[in-house]
Amino acid sequence: MSSLTFTEQTQQIPIVNLSELDPSLPGGDQWEAARAAVAAALRLHGCFDAIYAPLSPELRDSLFCHAVSELLALPLEVKLRNSSDEPFQGYIGQIPNMPYESLRVDSAPSPSAVEEFTQLMWPQGNPTFRNAVIAFTRPLQDLMKIVHRMILESFGVESLYESFQSSISHGLRLSEYGVPFDKETKIAMVSHIDPNLMTIVCQHEVEGLEVKTADGDWIKVVPSPNSVTVMIGQAFQVHIVGKFDVLDRAWTNGRLRAPVHRVKMTGDEGRFSALYGSRPNYNSIVQTPEEFINEENPRLYRPYNYTEYMKFRYSDEGKGHKDPFISFCGIGQETTA
């Protein structure tokens, strides 16, 4: 059965069971109940924990206990082959005062794309790694399709689903966090909002992910062998947009909000995580559907080129703005540092 668990007093993010659902078979009482739970969670927190049985503990163990550790143990010169013309889309690492490394497998779970990445890292081949990544990302892709469809249905624009799916790409980012250098703050990744459409976060054993509430409190997301965390990004804010207060970062008319989150590690162990993300295709234009524009809800964001925004976000000019997203495409909401 689908369910929503929300306890404000204990500061848990909602939990929604999507295990019995099929992305190709929407509809029915169970689907509608889960959709209502997903919409409520995303309006309040911009994220939720999803229980999804097809993503089994065996698939997780195959990925984290073998594939991820083997990948991140490769020499730096090999990992640097995972390059990209787009900012932060390939290898990330060697950042001062941040013991963090990650690589991105573009277009997973496509077998040809995963094989291309595998050959890049292991020219002699590595079928164990390839098969683990493909098997792990297939249920993640189905889960993401379920949530994408539910969001569009919740706002009455399910007719956009097929065109939406054809306008996006997917990828798997495999990451390792070392013990933070700053023993006082214990911050392993600073607070931020994802620029993409959606991210599904799978933590392996060691907790660290924290989500900021609209009231400014931080909620720890405790890793579970039975769930993953689904988070909305800024690009989805534009697709499903509402009135937004830049100062307190709170949505005011029931639309979605991309959550501020960070990684804080309090123990003495390193941490692996896998992030499966969706984003607009290269050089595609992101814009709010006309169905959401009226006198009460005027257009808040100009249509923008996602690739150009990513370049701006990480440029010296973009870093000079308090909110590069608002500065790049917001209407009448310029912010500077």
Side-chain angles (χ1 to χ4, degrees), residues 1-252:
M1 292 294 291
S2 300
S3 62
L4 171 66
T5 301
F6 169 62
T7 309
E8 186 68 31
Q9 291 79 7
T10 57
Q11 290 291 284
Q12 297 174 340
I13 66 171
I15 302 171
V16 185
N17 191 335
L18 303 175
S19 293
E20 303 300 322
L21 303 180
D22 185 328
S24 63
L25 297 172
D29 293 345
Q30 191 171 2
W31 176 279
E32 292 178 5
R35 184 182 64 203
V38 166
L42 293 178
R43 285 185 177 120
L44 187 61
H45 289 298
C47 64
F48 65 95
D49 269 352
I51 297 174
Y52 194 58
L55 191 65
S56 67
E58 291 77 18
L59 290 180
R60 294 172 186 247
D61 287 346
S62 177
L63 185 81
F64 287 113
C65 297
H66 302 287
V68 175
S69 56
E70 187 178 3
L71 174 66
L72 288 159
L74 289 170
L76 177 60
E77 60 268 22
V78 175
K79 289 182 282 192
L80 288 174
R81 296 173 189 165
N82 182 218
S83 61
S84 174
D85 293 334
E86 300 178 69
F88 290 89
Q89 292 304 312
Y91 172 82
I92 301 175
Q94 312 309 305
I95 302 171
N97 300 317
M98 186 179 294
Y100 171 78
E101 280 191 307
S102 74
L103 297 93
R104 178 182 170 87
V105 186
D106 276 325
S107 300
S110 162
S112 60
V114 178
E115 176 62 22
E116 182 179 350
F117 177 89
T118 304
Q119 289 289 332
L120 188 66
M121 298 292 107
W122 294 277
Q124 75 278 15
N126 189 335
T128 301
F129 175 88
R130 178 197 62 212
N131 294 340
V133 169
I134 292 172
F136 182 79
T137 50
R138 278 176 176 160
L140 285 176
Q141 187 176 49
D142 286 343
L143 175 60
M144 185 166 280
K145 287 180 179 179
I146 289 171
V147 181
H148 281 167
R149 185 184 288 276
M150 285 181 169
I151 291 172
L152 296 178
E153 287 180 356
S154 295
F155 291 97
V157 289
E158 57 269 26
S159 62
L160 301 177
Y161 176 76
E162 294 300 334
S163 61
F164 176 78
Q165 287 299 121
S166 66
S167 71
I168 65 179
S169 57
H170 304 85
L172 178 71
R173 180 165 291 283
L174 302 172
S175 304
E176 180 178 17
Y177 298 79
V179 177
F181 293 134
D182 192 327
K183 304 302 181 184
E184 184 175 345
T185 67
K186 302 185 185 300
I187 298 298
M189 179 66 69
V190 296
S191 60
H192 62 285
I193 297 175
D194 290 342
N196 63 354
L197 289 160
M198 185 179 294
T199 303
I200 300 177
V201 182
C202 184
Q203 303 185 91
H204 180 59
E205 296 181 348
V206 179
E207 66 183 47
L209 178 63
E210 295 186 348
V211 175
K212 194 174 186 179
T213 70
D215 294 329
D217 298 322
W218 287 98
I219 300 175
K220 287 184 179 181
V221 181
V222 180
S224 162
N226 301 312
S227 68
V228 290
T229 304
V230 180
M231 309 182 75
I232 292 296
Q234 287 175 317
F236 229 135
Q237 279 189 183
V238 175
H239 276 289
I240 310 294
V241 69
K243 296 177 181 177
F244 185 66
D245 188 323
V246 178
L247 297 179
D248 65 12
R249 313 293 297 180
W251 290 94
T252 60

Side-chain angles (χ1 to χ4, degrees), residues 289-305:
E290 292 300 323
E291 289 90 333
F292 297 132
I293 306 301
N294 52 45
E295 291 185 3
E296 294 183 357
N297 294 285
R299 187 180 298 277
L300 299 181
Y301 304 101
R302 302 178 187 88
Y304 72 96
N305 182 303

